[in-house]
Amino acid sequence: MPTFQERNMTFTFPEDWYPIRYEQSQTHVEKMMPLQNTHAVDFLCCHQGRLILIEAKRFTERPIENVEHLVNEIAGQFKDTLCGIALCHVRSEAAMKLYSDALLPQQPHEHHKLEVFLEIQNETSLLPKATIQTQVLQSLRTKFVRLGFALRLLDSTRMRNHPWTVEVH
């Protein structure tokens, strides 16, 4: 099973999910980053023809002071990543074909998935953890559901029976 390290967390994906570290990919580093102020999600996965974008955030020391700022940061990462994948589709880039074909198929799927792993371990945040999670989820859904994306917010307590796993160190 493919395994990746990110911010003292270990992500493990099923073999048939075809995960890549998008933020370290040639597409992001060489094509998107030179555009300035572009951001990327941590992982792209393709499972059964559907695209899954995964962004991981972990707060252990600094508190979350502004939930809307966090939401806009995550939304920007999703937006810039989707632009990068679309660029690969236009340029017919072989390295990203699996993901660009999933995003822009001949026959559209009902939706693609945006997944946010938000681990809040700093209890000094100005808002309770559950409130932050609810606000983040609602705000991101408002931004992306109308574009055809399903959105899921996860943390280490909500990973039971999930296809990919995270071990927080």
Side-chain angles (χ1 to χ4, degrees), residues 59 61-68 70 120-133 135:
F59 293 88
E61 295 176 10
R62 68 180 171 104
I64 298 171
E65 297 176 7
N66 186 328
V67 175
E68 196 57 33
L70 175 62
I120 303 170
Q121 296 174 320
N122 183 347
E123 297 302 323
T124 63
S125 292
L126 301 176
L127 296 170
K129 179 179 175 177
T131 302
I132 293 170
Q133 291 172 327
Q135 287 180 0

Side-chain angles (χ1 to χ4, degrees), residues 3-21:
T3 301
F4 302 92
Q5 298 294 317
E6 175 74 21
R7 296 180 198 93
N8 291 319
M9 298 179 284
T10 303
F11 290 79
T12 305
F13 297 92
E15 292 289 339
D16 64 345
W17 273 51
Y18 304 100
I20 64 166
R21 292 288 303 261

Side-chain angles (χ1 to χ4, degrees), residues 19-41:
I20 64 166
R21 292 288 303 261
Y22 180 72
E23 67 184 353
Q24 296 175 358
S25 71
Q26 181 179 5
T27 296
H28 178 66
V29 173
E30 294 180 10
K31 294 182 176 69
M32 297 304 292
M33 285 179 66
L35 297 175
Q36 299 180 350
N37 297 318
T38 58
H39 304 283
V41 299

Side-chain angles (χ1 to χ4, degrees), residues 38-153:
T38 58
H39 304 283
V41 299
D42 294 307
F43 305 104
L44 291 184
C45 301
C46 187
H47 178 64
Q48 298 178 346
R50 291 209 171 143
L51 183 66
I52 301 113
L53 285 75
I54 300 170
E55 174 56 29
K57 298 284 187 202
R58 183 174 184 199
F59 293 88
T60 58
E61 295 176 10
R62 68 180 171 104
I64 298 171
E65 297 176 7
N66 186 328
V67 175
E68 196 57 33
H69 177 75
L70 175 62
V71 166
N72 288 334
E73 178 183 332
I74 295 169
Q77 289 171 288
F78 284 139
K79 173 187 58 86
D80 290 349
T81 299
L82 293 169
C83 287
I85 297 167
L87 173 68
C88 289
H89 187 77
V90 169
R91 295 177 47 88
S92 298
E93 294 194 15
M96 294 291 291
K97 184 170 177 36
L98 179 68
Y99 309 98
S100 63
D101 284 355
L103 178 62
L104 302 163
Q106 295 297 319
Q107 297 296 318
H109 296 291
E110 291 177 23
H111 63 267
H112 296 291
K113 291 183 182 176
L114 305 176
E115 296 190 349
V116 178
F117 181 82
L118 179 60
E119 187 69 13
I120 303 170
Q121 296 174 320
N122 183 347
E123 297 302 323
T124 63
S125 292
L126 301 176
L127 296 170
K129 179 179 175 177
T131 302
I132 293 170
Q133 291 172 327
T134 299
Q135 287 180 0
V136 167
L137 181 61
Q138 289 174 345
S139 292
L140 287 172
R141 277 190 175 151
T142 299
K143 294 176 187 302
F144 287 98
V145 167
R146 62 183 157 189
L147 301 176
F149 293 91
L151 200 113
R152 178 180 290 168
L153 183 84

